Amino acid sequence: MSDDKKLTPRATDFSAWYNEVVLRAQLADYSPVRGCMVIRPDGYGIWERMQRALDDMFKATGHRNAYFPLLIPESYLRKEAEHVEGFAPEAAVVTHGGGKKLDEPLVIRPTSETIIYSMFAKWVQSYRDLPILINQWANVVRWEMRTRLFLRTLEFLWQEGHTAHATHDEAEAETRQMLGVYRTFMEGWIAMPVVTGLKTQSEKFAGALRTYSCEAMMQDNKALQAGTSHNLGQNFAKAFELQFQDEAGEMQFAWNTSWGASTRMIGGLVMTHGDDNGLRVPPKLAPTEVVVVPIWKSDEERSRLLEAAQQLKTTLSSWNGRGDDRIRVHIDAREGIKPGAKYYEWELRGVPLRIELGPRDLAGNSCMTARRDTREKKIFSLDGIAESVAGVLGTIQDDMLKAARDRREANSVREPISYDRFKELMEGEGAFVYAGWNGDPAVEAKVKEETKATIRCIPDEEFRTPGGPTTCMVTGEPAKHQVVWAKAY
RNA sequence: CGGGGCGUAGCUUAGCCCGGUAGAGCGCCUGCUUCGGGAGCAGGAGGUCGGAGGUUCAAAUCCUCUCGCCCCGACCA
């Protein structure tokens, strides 16, 4: 930062830009422990809104919240072979408690499949006990080598849904349903378009039958996996003897699913919408949707404008045209800071709409508004101001999604390309490349080795290029799948 | 863990090569004037120079060790 008022531009150093936005918009700060972060009120406020929206959707699909403990017997993690292989290396282990060495070490949950399905096993006897539809909001710990604010930290916040079903098909339907919930949330709230699809075997969750994911494109054209939904099959049921008696009186292993989305989505929000002036928060997730900046010169004006600002706030926040979802307004009444300085600050912090209220506006029974997404300024009448503001907030929300989707498609490659061209692309600007794949994991590994790019997913029907590639981009053999290649976070 | 960079005021940093009273900008506090896109002036507070040893009359500066952070890589939501 040569000019300490300005951010490092995205084009100069995307990574530096990201860190600066997160820190300066006061979303988070580094903690004394390497790889951990403090989520500050502005960041946590976004998380709370994410939680509320998702939680409502989980409830609407029949799930209930519960809480399982942080500490898990180490032996539990070992019971599912693939699972332990995936998570043991990054597990934090508690070996001492109460000043004594523990008989059995306790793992701090990296995820809760083991403890949850062991408990389900106690609760389920009959097919009549199924399905079990549980969600928990929790923190988890994974000892990552390299960390980044929100995107990968040793501890993070998330929700993990865990369900048990009588049949494979029901579990599969649940897995797909929750993937759909994530997609609805990411597009409708974060205004972050995603490609949904199936993970390849090498990229799937350790212990799952199948993993589906939501893949979003960041402004550096890298993919961010923002939510995953797993069909766990009977793997955990078998490991933890989660059985039930079916209608015929036969003992059956249950079919499980798990699905999670985390504070990582906040990183996705930043990298999807931020610009060189700072953060841009979609209105539906913004803790503050509207900031009012009163403008005055004299003391007389000051008291008049502060009163008018307060009135405006009351008008906006008491308007019930959005039902219980009242407009969230903040008045910036700080003295000794010029209005212009306040504008820059609130732009950095991403508040979707700014209202400037000065003597000239009052005289005309109007106010000046400025959209954060387009920086467009417009005069609004104070008559019917709540409807106008709600209207523009809705427009901002829609426009942000559209802009992000346009950008993603502009940086997606859907026509057939050579592997050489692909390598160039991945070395350069990056992209989502829709290409044929022969289904061979060795090809996947080779591409990853040579380009750092991976198969993000085998996209669901609607995301595929119609009449897409019939041959494998790498080998030229007949393609088994159309896949999305990209470098990922 | 490998490679690179960096630790000096709340933040960004100069000074280090060539040892000699620790400086600046921003921010902060007080006052006055300002106030429709990053205010001006005046005054003021704020530092174990990451830590520990060593060399020296004298160490932010030289030497040794150590701790931490950031970036790139292997691993990952």
Side-chain angles (χ1 to χ4, degrees), chain A residues 34-36 142 144-149 152-154:
Chain A
R34 177 199 77 85
C36 294
R142 299 180 185 176
E144 302 291 350
M145 311 245 185
R146 241 190 89 213
T147 58
R148 301 202 56 191
L149 293 168
R152 182 170 300 105
T153 45
L154 299 195

Side-chain angles (χ1 to χ4, degrees), chain A residues 426-444:
Chain A
M426 290 302 141
E427 263 176 49
E429 67 267 33
F432 276 17
V433 175
Y434 293 71
W437 176 48
N438 67 357
D440 182 357
V443 166
E444 201 182 0

Side-chain angles (χ1 to χ4, degrees), chain A residues 5 24 31 70 96 107 119 155 195 217 230 252 318 322 339 344 375 383 444 454 462 477 482:
Chain A
K5 280 177 182 161
R24 292 180 53 185
S31 91
L70 175 74
H96 289 73
V107 173
M119 294 308 296
E155 179 187 2
V195 175
M217 183 193 277
H230 316 289
Q252 303 281 355
S318 62
R322 293 196 317 204
Y344 282 103
R375 302 185 92 205
D383 294 330
E444 201 182 0
T454 50
E462 71 171 290
E477 294 166 14
Q482 182 180 148

Side-chain angles (χ1 to χ4, degrees), chain A residues 20-41:
Chain A
E20 287 171 22
V21 170
V22 169
L23 294 170
R24 292 180 53 185
Q26 298 175 34
L27 300 183
D29 204 350
Y30 293 107
S31 91
V33 177
R34 177 199 77 85
C36 294
M37 66 187 278
V38 175
I39 304 176
R40 301 180 66 179

Side-chain angles (χ1 to χ4, degrees), chain A residues 141-324:
Chain A
V141 169
R142 299 180 185 176
W143 216 263
E144 302 291 350
M145 311 245 185
R146 241 190 89 213
T147 58
R148 301 202 56 191
L149 293 168
F150 287 115
L151 302 175
R152 182 170 300 105
T153 45
L154 299 195
E155 179 187 2
F156 60 92
L157 306 183
W158 76 346
Q159 58 67 219
E160 45 180 325
H162 293 274
T163 67
H165 307 265
T167 66
H168 166 273
D169 288 358
E170 197 183 312
E172 179 68 9
E174 166 78 4
T175 309
R176 295 288 318 184
Q177 173 184 241
M178 299 321 287
L179 184 74
V181 164
Y182 286 149
R183 182 194 174 179
T184 300
F185 171 72
M186 290 173 196
E187 298 188 339
W189 273 259
I190 313 179
M192 179 174 77
V194 294
V195 175
T196 60
L198 180 66
K199 285 291 190 185
T200 63
Q201 285 300 298
S202 69
E203 295 276 333
K204 76 175 170 63
F205 176 76
L209 211 56
R210 279 188 288 283
T211 291
Y212 298 93
S213 73
C214 294
E215 302 286 333
M217 183 193 277
M218 303 295 104
Q219 289 185 67
D220 57 358
N221 294 345
K222 284 167 76 174
L224 183 76
Q225 178 177 305
T228 49
S229 187
H230 316 289
N231 184 333
L232 301 173
Q234 295 175 305
N235 294 342
F236 287 92
K238 284 175 180 167
F240 291 93
E241 296 179 309
L242 169 47
Q243 299 179 84
F244 66 95
Q245 219 169 7
D246 66 17
E247 288 151 271
E250 300 288 321
M251 292 304 283
Q252 303 281 355
F253 287 109
W255 298 82
N256 296 114
T257 82
S258 69
W259 26 276
S262 71
T263 41
R264 179 181 237 204
M265 292 187 292
I266 298 173
L269 185 160
V270 173
M271 290 194 293
T272 297
H273 299 302
D275 67 12
D276 289 348
N277 299 306
L279 185 63
R280 292 195 288 190
V281 186
K284 279 168 124 176
L285 292 178
T288 300
E289 292 174 284
V290 180
V291 62
V292 178
V293 179
I295 301 161
W296 65 78
K297 288 190 183 32
S298 63
D299 277 353
E300 182 273 326
E301 277 179 357
R302 177 176 167 276
S303 58
R304 207 151 55 83
L305 266 300
L306 283 180
E307 195 190 337
Q310 187 53 54
Q311 245 174 47
L312 175 58
K313 176 178 175 170
T314 303
T315 303
L316 292 175
S317 57
S318 62
W319 183 70
N320 63 5
R322 293 196 317 204
D324 290 339

